[in-house]
Amino acid sequence: MLSVLKKYSLYIGNFLFAFLILSAILFIGGFAPFGNKSLAIMDASIQYLDFFAYWKDVLLGADCKK
């Protein structure tokens, strides 16, 4: 077990370093899971808004071709 930890200590250290830096950035910025902001807000406004508007029209029958 100790030899495995020695072998992979660099990888584990890099992972933990990146994890801590990202967690600190999310915490300072107030992003989820530490705050109310979301990282997906830009993607959601571009990608999902049009889809849900179309889906609403389909469900209401406004986009049905006869």
Side-chain angles (χ1 to χ4, degrees):
M1 177 69 178
L2 187 59
S3 65
V4 172
L5 271 174
K6 263 187 173 178
K7 185 176 180 181
Y8 294 110
S9 64
L10 180 64
Y11 300 115
I12 294 169
N14 285 337
F15 170 77
L16 290 175
F17 178 72
F19 180 77
L20 291 174
I21 294 295
L22 180 60
S23 295
I25 291 170
L26 293 176
F27 181 75
I28 292 169
F31 290 99
F34 304 108
N36 294 329
K37 295 180 187 176
S38 173
L39 293 174
I41 193 70
M42 297 304 285
D43 187 45
S45 66
I46 295 168
Q47 192 173 33
Y48 295 110
L49 189 61
D50 291 335
F51 170 74
F52 285 124
Y54 170 75
W55 185 244
K56 178 185 171 193
D57 289 341
V58 168
L59 292 177
L60 294 177
D63 201 19
C64 295
K65 296 182 180 181
K66 296 179 182 181

